[in-house]
Amino acid sequence: MADRSLLHPAERDLLEQVERLLADPAEQDNSLRAALAALFAYSELQRERLERVVRISDGYQHVTRGEKQSLVDQYDRQLRRLEKLARISDRYQNSLREMSEALRDAALHDTLTGLGNRRFLMERLKDETERASRKGQLYAVGILDVDHFKLINDRFGHEAGDQALCLIANAIKDALREYDQCGRWGGEEFLIILPDTSLEFAVQVAERVRLAIRNTGFDFIEGGGGVTASIGITIYQPGEPYSAAVNRADSALLQAKELGRDRVAAAS
């Protein structure tokens, strides 16, 4: 028998009333009893079918909600996994970027003095040459060589020579303008680049560098000083390769050496 607990009270009362009539002995001979009994049985059958359909529908909706919930859970798990992968990828890319920057920095700087190395200086020379071609702003190039540096190494050792090079590097850097460039060209030679500078003013800057080195205290050397440098300087000429300017500055440096060292020589 179908469950009547969910029926409307009026419907439930009607069914109970019909059942009582069908069970009443006084109505056994009623000509309508058989038809009423058949109608009642048919009504119960239809209600059972309807309840079955409702149960199937409820079950389907429950399964559908479960599947939807399962899909939401899967989506959340995938989303968390992707977020984790994105964080790992970001950290990996940051590490690669930092490593690349560190390698580039190491490739362009002299490990002893901290100044730019020869590669760094060649890149700056290319930049200044392109700027000179584009804007017509010439630049000065100077080569500095520490006088009698071999004697420092021979008398006080290579460690003293390295300390001297570091102090000289600092003296050069401090004597230059903020936008000037300098670096270690090789051994005890340094190169300076003075953007948008005339030869006359470049000589003044080179003199300032020379005096800064001469006035530096080298406490680890007996007497505390006596270290000097010679500088050759020139101006880049439009249309020539930057190597031509470097060679001209090198020739001027040789001239400064031949004239007695501790001086600046210029080549136009």
Side-chain angles (χ1 to χ4, degrees):
M1 180 176 292
D3 184 10
R4 297 179 181 175
S5 61
L6 299 178
L7 294 177
H8 190 276
E11 185 180 0
R12 188 167 53 246
D13 289 344
L14 176 60
L15 292 175
E16 290 175 354
Q17 182 180 357
V18 171
E19 282 181 322
R20 283 195 299 272
L21 288 171
L22 291 174
D24 188 352
E27 301 292 341
Q28 294 300 311
D29 296 329
N30 193 315
S31 59
L32 297 177
R33 185 179 180 284
L36 182 62
L39 180 61
F40 182 77
Y42 178 75
S43 173
E44 288 292 282
L45 179 62
Q46 293 300 319
R47 198 154 54 82
E48 289 177 359
R49 288 175 176 172
L50 182 60
E51 288 179 357
R52 193 179 304 121
V53 170
V54 170
R55 284 197 299 272
I56 292 172
S57 176
D58 289 346
Y60 175 76
Q61 291 181 6
H62 177 74
V63 171
T64 302
R65 283 196 298 272
E67 289 179 347
K68 286 181 179 178
Q69 187 63 41
S70 177
L71 288 173
V72 170
D73 291 342
Q74 290 181 30
Y75 173 78
D76 288 342
R77 282 198 297 273
Q78 291 297 332
L79 186 60
R80 288 194 293 273
R81 189 174 301 170
L82 288 174
E83 289 174 346
K84 184 177 181 180
L85 287 174
R87 289 196 296 272
I88 293 173
S89 177
D90 287 346
R91 286 199 294 269
Y92 178 68
Q93 290 185 13
N94 288 335
S95 297
L96 283 179
R97 192 179 302 111
E98 291 172 359
M99 189 181 300
S100 175
E101 290 174 354
L103 287 173
R104 175 176 171 75
D105 186 70
L108 294 176
H109 286 83
D110 176 51
T111 54
L112 175 64
T113 64
L115 295 181
N117 58 16
R118 194 183 188 96
R119 176 180 294 181
F120 168 84
L121 292 167
M122 291 176 73
E123 289 188 3
R124 298 293 76 76
L125 285 169
K126 290 178 183 176
D127 293 341
E128 289 303 324
T129 301
E130 290 176 1
R131 187 176 294 110
S133 301
R134 195 170 59 252
K135 298 183 177 180
Q137 296 176 342
L138 303 185
Y139 63 92
V141 179
I143 296 183
L144 180 152
D145 184 78
V146 182
D147 296 328
H148 304 298
F149 182 73
K150 186 174 182 301
L151 293 179
I152 298 175
N153 278 334
D154 291 344
R155 289 187 60 188
F156 306 103
H158 290 281
E159 185 176 349
D162 289 346
Q163 292 183 53
L165 289 175
C166 291
L167 289 174
I168 290 169
N170 290 334
I172 296 171
K173 189 168 55 178
D174 292 342
L176 294 178
R177 298 166 299 183
E178 185 177 355
Y179 50 88
D180 293 333
Q181 302 282 350
C182 66
R184 190 177 177 192
W185 192 239
E188 65 271 25
E189 283 191 343
F190 296 83
L191 187 138
I192 59 178
I193 303 170
L194 312 176
D196 193 19
T197 303
S198 66
L199 182 59
E200 181 181 5
F201 193 75
V203 171
Q204 295 179 27
V205 175
E207 279 290 348
R208 193 165 65 223
V209 171
R210 185 185 67 81
L211 291 175
I213 294 171
R214 191 177 190 182
N215 294 328
T216 296
F218 297 85
D219 297 336
F220 49 90
I221 296 177
E222 185 178 352
V227 177
T228 61
S230 301
I231 304 174
I233 197 156
T234 190
I235 293 292
Y236 169 80
Q237 299 298 328
E240 69 177 359
Y242 66 80
S243 58
V246 172
N247 290 336
R248 201 160 49 248
D250 200 37
S251 297
L253 170 64
L254 181 60
Q255 183 184 4
K257 292 281 189 183
E258 291 174 347
L259 292 174
R261 295 183 172 84
D262 189 21
R263 68 190 61 221
V264 174
S268 55

